[in-house]
């Protein structure tokens, strides 16, 4: 691996926080259906005060929004720390490698390599699915660009990108036995950190982590557990039937159903906080990743009430660097 | 249940059949070399396609890794994933894209556990697909070595 003088792969804040052994918090930004950068900045402003890095999703659920590379470019311009999500659904290897370089040039240091939800999950199911790469091939290609300074073809890069590389994991869907081994494969392909699918099933996650520890993976990769609030039992039902890969146990849906209507939102938040507190106790968990779809305003409350403030954590050199190049805040 | 599905659920037998065919083709290699691989390819391709379509629902990617994927064709995964299941697998083990179909990788993993010889190869990292080989004979590509050729950068990655 190519590490710089301080021993960092990318020197991003996320990498520094995780390497320092502190509990990290990342959050997902809901991408706007808009050509106005202000909408990105408005969403980022709220999140940036309660997390260490902001994920820019790549047309998740196969719904078209502002592109993740553009959102990341806006975020770095304003001094925020993005995690650039790249999915294999929409672009072939040529486009993906070009975008990786472009993102790096824009100051992006964290990349999350994903397979991507299928086109049939979205509102344009007639689209052509690409999947030229799978997520593991994408991950390794990004690592080759970083560590070997070449494209997949072997052609040299004049300046290689510096990336802290991430991958996803979903311990909550079959084949359960293989999920820890698939994680091992991702680590071998180059994953430095993992962000999991929504965790609502603590028992299942504990079992997964036990296997992960047996394989020694928790010492090779930083695992951030996906969490998020549920608005109501209806939202839970929608998510577990309509959103690919989300598993919500009946007990949680039932708990929301029994809660009187005005308190449902609060109860959803409480469940989320309880899950955070439980996963924090599990050995090998390095942080959480908050995904609050259409409930961004709740992220701050969740992070605060889970006792995870102040954020973002100060990490030395990354903050220094930011001081050298003063933030250019967008016009508000 | 179709013949193909029945056979696929006997992965250990398929594994032996694979090994047998592999050896057979290696034996035939000098012959193919003499007649020229292009001519051999014309000869081999259609029976290969016929047989593999019947048994594996083969998509003729031309770089067969069946023995490394539980004798289950990864190209029948709607996302063409070659390194394992996506995160969209349904709770009942069915496919995110085709709810009526069991996930190709759920089946691949189950079957690989019943394969004493190549079962563990499911853990190997598979390189990106060479799309130029689509529609050609994987057996001939194996003999010429073209199926194992990966981009130069990929090779460097395996040493990184």
């Amino acid at each position: 691996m190519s590490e710089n003088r301080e021993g960092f792969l990318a020197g991003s804040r996320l990498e520094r926080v995780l390497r320092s052994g502190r509990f990290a918090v990342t959050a997902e930004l809901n991408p706007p259906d808009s050509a106005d950068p202000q909408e990105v900045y408005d969403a980022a402003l709220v999140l940036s005060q309660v997390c260490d890095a902001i994920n820019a999703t790549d047309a998740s659920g196969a719904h078209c929004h502002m592109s993740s590379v553009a959102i990341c470019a806006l975020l770095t311009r304003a001094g925020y720390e993005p995690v650039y999500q790249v999915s294999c659904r929409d672009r072939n290897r040529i486009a993906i490698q070009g975008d990786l370089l472009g993102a790096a040039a824009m100051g992006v240091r964290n990349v999350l390599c994903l397979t991507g939800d299928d086109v049939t999950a979205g509102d344009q199911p007639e689209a052509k699915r690409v999947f030229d790469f799978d997520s593991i091939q994408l991950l390794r290609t990004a690592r080759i660009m970083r560590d070997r300074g070449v494209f997949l073809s072997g052609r040299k890069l004049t300046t290689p990108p510096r990336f802290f590389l991430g991958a996803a994991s979903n311990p909550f869907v079959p084949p359960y036995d293989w999920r820890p081994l698939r994680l091992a494969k991702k680590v071998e392909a180059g994953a430095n950190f993992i962000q999991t699918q929504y965790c609502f099933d603590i028992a299942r996650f504990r079992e997964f982590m036990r296997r992960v520890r047996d394989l020694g993976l928790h010492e090779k990769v930083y695992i951030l557990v996906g969490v998020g609030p549920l608005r109501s039992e209806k939202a839970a039902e929608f998510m577990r039937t309509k959103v690919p890969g989300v598993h919500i146990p009946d007990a949680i849906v039932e708990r929301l159903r029994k809660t009187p209507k005005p308190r449902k939102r609060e109860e959803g938040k409480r469940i989320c906080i309880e899950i955070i507190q439980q996963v924090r106790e599990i050995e090998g968990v390095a942080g959480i990743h908050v995904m609050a779809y259409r409930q961004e305003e709740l992220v701050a409350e969740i992070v605060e009430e889970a006792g995870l403030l102040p954020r973002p954590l100060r990490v030395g050199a990354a903050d220094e660097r930011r001081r050298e190049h003063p933030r250019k805040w967008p016009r508000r | 249940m179709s013949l193909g599905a029945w056979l696929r659920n006997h992965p250990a037998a398929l594994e032996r059949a694979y090994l047998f065919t592999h050896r057979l083709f290696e034996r035939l290699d000098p012959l193919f070399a003499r007649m020229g691989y292009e001519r051999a390819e014309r000869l081999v391709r259609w029976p290969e396609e016929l047989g593999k379509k019947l048994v594996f629902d083969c998509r003729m990617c031309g770089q067969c890794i069946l023995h490394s994927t539980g004798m289950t064709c990864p190209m029948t995964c709607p996302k063409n994933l070659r390194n394992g299941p996506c995160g969209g697998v349904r709770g009942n083990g069915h496919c995110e894209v085709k709810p009526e179909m069991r996930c190709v990788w759920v089946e691949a993993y189950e079957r690989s556990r019943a394969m004493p010889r190549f079962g563990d190869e499911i853990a190997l990292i598979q390189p990106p697909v060479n799309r130029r080989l689509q529609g050609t004979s994987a057996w001939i590509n194996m003999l010429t070595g073209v199926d194992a050729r990966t981009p130069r950068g990929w090779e460097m990655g395996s040493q990184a």
Side-chain angles (χ1 to χ4, degrees):
Chain A
M1 290 206 234
S2 63
E3 294 169 350
N4 71 355
R5 268 170 290 131
E6 303 163 283
F8 289 106
L9 293 163
S12 68
R13 179 195 287 138
L14 183 61
E15 182 182 9
R16 285 167 191 271
V17 167
L18 289 168
R19 291 249 190 146
S20 71
R22 287 175 291 175
F23 198 77
V25 178
T26 58
E28 184 173 286
L29 183 139
N30 296 323
D33 297 332
S34 166
D36 183 2
Q38 195 56 51
E39 295 189 31
V40 173
Y41 290 129
D42 289 346
L45 186 62
V46 184
L47 294 178
S48 68
Q49 292 156 357
V50 293
C51 72
D52 303 308
I54 299 172
N55 277 57
T57 58
D58 186 5
S60 70
H63 284 84
C64 192
H65 306 288
M66 188 189 288
S67 75
S68 58
V69 73
I71 290 175
C72 286
L74 291 171
L75 292 179
T76 54
R77 255 203 241 175
Y80 295 125
E81 163 105 356
V83 177
Y84 170 37
Q85 297 195 184
V86 186
S87 112
C88 298
R89 181 194 52 232
D90 307 320
R91 276 159 300 159
N92 71 4
R93 62 192 81 181
I94 297 172
I96 287 177
Q97 290 172 81
D99 278 348
L100 285 171
L101 275 191
M106 296 283 199
V108 174
R109 294 288 172 265
N110 311 300
V111 179
L112 186 70
C113 301
L114 304 165
T115 306
D117 300 320
D118 187 68
V119 294
T120 49
D123 58 355
Q124 300 185 55
E126 312 85 356
K128 179 172 169 58
R129 55 174 79 90
V130 178
F131 297 110
D132 186 25
F133 273 159
D134 64 28
S135 59
I136 287 178
Q137 294 157 354
L138 164 60
L139 192 54
R140 177 173 269 186
T141 300
R143 191 182 67 167
I144 289 164
M145 291 172 72
R146 179 191 70 194
D147 293 351
R148 297 285 162 160
V150 295
F151 287 113
L152 190 59
S153 66
R155 191 154 50 84
K156 233 177 142 15
L157 305 170
T158 48
T159 302
R162 292 180 58 207
F163 287 139
F164 190 49
L165 291 173
S169 175
N170 190 354
F172 310 104
V173 293
Y176 304 113
D177 285 358
W178 197 12
R179 292 291 169 183
L181 299 170
R182 180 156 161 81
L183 180 65
K185 215 173 182 180
K186 289 190 170 183
V187 172
E188 191 193 338
N192 306 122
F193 71 98
I194 296 289
Q195 290 177 319
T196 78
Q197 181 55 277
Y198 280 108
C199 173
F200 290 108
D201 188 340
I202 287 285
R204 172 79 64 195
F205 185 67
R206 279 214 181 91
E207 175 57 21
F208 171 79
M209 285 305 294
R210 196 180 57 72
R211 294 278 314 282
V212 165
R213 288 194 302 272
D214 289 346
L215 294 166
L217 296 173
H218 64 306
E219 283 161 354
K220 295 182 183 157
V221 70
Y222 299 102
I223 297 170
L224 283 74
V225 186
V227 295
L230 294 166
R231 196 198 303 263
S232 64
E233 73 275 12
K234 272 197 210 104
E237 209 57 67
F238 173 82
M239 276 176 72
R240 69 178 182 170
T241 53
K242 293 285 184 315
V243 183
V246 178
H247 161 68
I248 304 174
D250 295 337
I252 287 190
V253 182
E254 203 45 44
R255 187 168 151 188
L256 284 164
R257 184 169 292 129
K258 281 187 193 141
T259 310
K261 200 162 182 203
R263 295 219 315 272
K264 280 189 201 292
R265 186 176 166 276
E266 187 66 23
E267 189 68 7
K269 191 179 80 180
R270 197 186 317 274
I271 291 171
C272 180
I273 293 167
E274 284 171 19
I275 289 170
I276 293 172
Q277 285 161 346
Q278 291 178 66
V279 297
R280 259 193 106 168
E281 302 298 316
I282 300 173
E283 189 191 344
V285 171
I288 53 160
H289 175 51
V290 191
M291 297 171 281
Y293 182 64
R294 288 193 184 151
Q295 299 195 87
E296 302 87 334
E297 72 286 354
L298 276 185
V299 178
E301 292 175 36
I302 289 167
V303 175
E304 181 176 10
E305 288 170 42
L308 295 169
L309 289 183
R311 300 280 155 176
L313 295 175
R314 293 191 60 80
V315 286
D319 294 312
E320 298 295 327
R321 199 175 52 229
R322 223 155 259 129
R323 228 170 294 140
E324 283 167 34
H325 306 282
R327 290 180 187 202
K328 285 202 186 85
W329 288 96
R331 181 173 48 85
R332 291 193 61 86
Chain B
M1 192 191 289
S2 71
L3 174 70
W6 184 84
L7 277 171
R8 285 199 297 275
N9 285 327
H10 294 78
L14 283 178
E15 183 179 54
R16 283 196 295 277
Y18 164 77
L19 207 60
F20 172 79
T21 319
H22 192 278
R23 285 183 186 143
L24 179 72
F25 269 92
E26 274 177 342
R27 287 267 177 87
L28 289 171
D29 190 27
L31 177 71
F32 290 147
R34 220 173 314 138
M35 69 190 280
Y37 288 111
E38 266 178 49
R39 270 173 74 197
E41 141 87 35
R42 279 200 295 275
L43 202 70
V44 169
R45 188 179 55 207
W46 72 265
E48 177 179 337
E49 183 167 2
L50 201 72
K52 289 213 288 199
K53 203 148 242 163
L54 189 74
V55 182
F56 303 109
D57 192 16
C58 168
R59 305 297 161 95
M60 291 300 280
C61 69
Q63 45 218 297
C64 194
I65 52 167
L66 272 169
H67 63 289
S68 303
T69 57
M71 302 308 286
T72 305
C73 176
M75 302 314 270
T76 59
C77 160
K79 298 184 184 178
N80 285 181
L81 304 181
R82 299 207 19 135
N83 278 297
C86 69
V89 183
R90 291 163 196 263
N92 60 1
H94 281 223
C95 173
E96 167 197 332
V97 185
K98 299 180 179 169
E100 69 286 355
M101 180 177 91
R102 272 193 97 202
C103 166
V104 168
W105 284 99
V106 168
E107 299 202 318
Y109 183 66
E110 273 175 14
R111 290 169 184 160
S112 76
R113 298 304 85 195
M115 287 167 50
R117 192 165 176 128
F118 297 108
D120 289 341
E121 286 200 8
I122 203 159
L124 294 179
I125 293 184
Q126 299 293 344
V129 178
N130 180 352
R131 309 283 168 185
R132 285 181 306 181
L133 299 181
Q134 179 66 43
T136 61
S137 161
W139 283 115
I140 298 296
N141 292 338
M142 176 200 78
L143 293 178
T144 60
V146 66
D147 70 334
R149 231 171 275 154
T150 52
R152 208 150 42 91
W154 183 264
E155 291 308 312
M156 297 165 82
S158 57
Q159 300 145 20

